[in-house]
Amino acid sequence: MSFGEQPAYLRVASDLREKIVNGALPPHTRLPSQARIREEYGVSDTVALEARKVLMAEGLVEGRSGSGTYVRERPVPRRIARSGYRPGAGASPFRQEQTADGVRGTWESRSEQEGAGPEVAERLGIEPGDRVMRTRYLFRESGEPMMLSTSWEPLAVTGRTPVMLPEEGPLGGCGVVDRMAAIDVVVDNVAEEVGARPGLAEELLALGGVPGHVVIVIGRTYYASGRAVETADVVVPADRYRIAYHLPVK
């Protein structure tokens, strides 16, 4: 195969993908069978099978038990704003952003103490095994699951304070900046790293995805005078949402 030439299964997958995108194969239409692909494109069964696997991995088609493979309904991606903390709002950044977009955002959460694993310890600048408060969130938009988040806060900072539990007490649900300010910790910087990966089975189950779907992962850390006071992983289904940043110009 010469440089730049696609393998046969990718050429077949590309043609089928184009038909899905332009509507020649609309949602809920049965994908041509392996035998039909073999005959139409003049390829082997192996090539036909691999082309179908590519489309399934891309989330364009889905298998239905005992029925075949069908074109999936393609959702119109919605926007998740990442604009950071807005002082004086009295709510978490998530609630601020949802209100600004005119939608109703809710969430469920569960907090528990644990020893920090190596990666979390490195992000927080603490020792592995040091105690942290881990809080898991499921965020919803108009009732539909839209985002997962797992946050970790070092108990050396929040332990035995009124804000030890992020979603309880007088400042429950107010966000990291306001909660830390209540214990005289001034958050002055936040860093985010954005990546993508295949969703874990439990993530896709919670978010309503299917195996093979890609998720956007935002690794976020809040700092106070160079010290990390909270770090979190935010997980968003990539086929349904886009991340939009609004960054101030100084």
Side-chain angles (χ1 to χ4, degrees), residues 22-241:
N22 67 23
L25 288 172
H28 310 297
T29 299
R30 187 170 181 175
L31 192 71
S33 67
Q34 187 170 315
R36 177 73 178 273
I37 293 173
R38 182 190 64 213
E39 294 171 4
E40 183 175 343
Y41 293 93
V43 296
S44 67
D45 281 331
T46 299
V47 168
L49 176 61
E50 290 302 314
R52 289 161 61 90
K53 285 182 178 179
V54 169
L55 298 177
M56 189 166 291
E58 293 175 350
L60 295 173
V61 300
E62 61 185 354
R64 298 180 185 175
S65 180
S67 180
T69 303
Y70 291 79
V71 177
R72 292 185 64 245
E73 185 81 45
R74 299 183 69 202
V76 177
R78 285 169 283 178
R79 182 174 62 95
I80 293 179
R82 304 291 296 175
S83 54
Y85 174 70
R86 305 173 200 173
S92 70
F94 172 76
R95 181 163 285 169
Q96 292 174 21
E97 289 154 2
Q98 292 285 290
T99 300
D101 286 342
V103 297
R104 178 173 174 78
T106 59
W107 66 87
E108 306 158 15
S109 67
R110 185 178 76 244
S111 297
E112 58 187 347
Q113 296 186 34
E114 67 177 16
E119 181 182 352
V120 169
E122 181 177 0
R123 288 164 61 171
L124 289 174
I126 60 179
E127 293 297 319
D130 283 358
R131 304 301 291 174
V132 295
M133 183 66 71
R134 181 190 69 195
T135 304
R136 289 177 169 158
Y137 296 87
L138 170 61
F139 295 90
R140 299 179 185 273
E141 180 182 274
S142 301
E144 177 187 344
M146 62 171 291
M147 183 167 65
L148 299 172
S149 177
T150 304
S151 73
W152 297 268
E153 295 179 354
L155 288 173
V157 175
T158 62
R160 299 184 179 181
T161 73
V163 300
M164 185 173 73
L165 292 169
E167 297 298 319
E168 297 183 20
L171 290 176
C174 284
V176 174
V177 177
D178 286 331
R179 290 176 45 251
M180 293 297 166
I183 57 172
D184 298 322
V185 175
V186 179
V187 173
D188 53 22
N189 189 26
V190 58
E192 292 192 350
E193 293 185 0
V194 182
R197 59 167 170 77
L200 304 179
E202 57 268 27
E203 293 170 341
L204 296 175
L205 179 64
L207 292 170
V210 299
H213 274 194
V214 172
V215 295
I216 301 168
V217 181
I218 304 168
R220 180 199 68 209
T221 304
Y222 282 101
Y223 296 91
S225 301
R227 181 184 188 182
V229 297
E230 189 256 19
T231 194
D233 284 333
V234 180
V235 177
V236 181
D239 65 329
R240 282 185 272 152
Y241 292 94

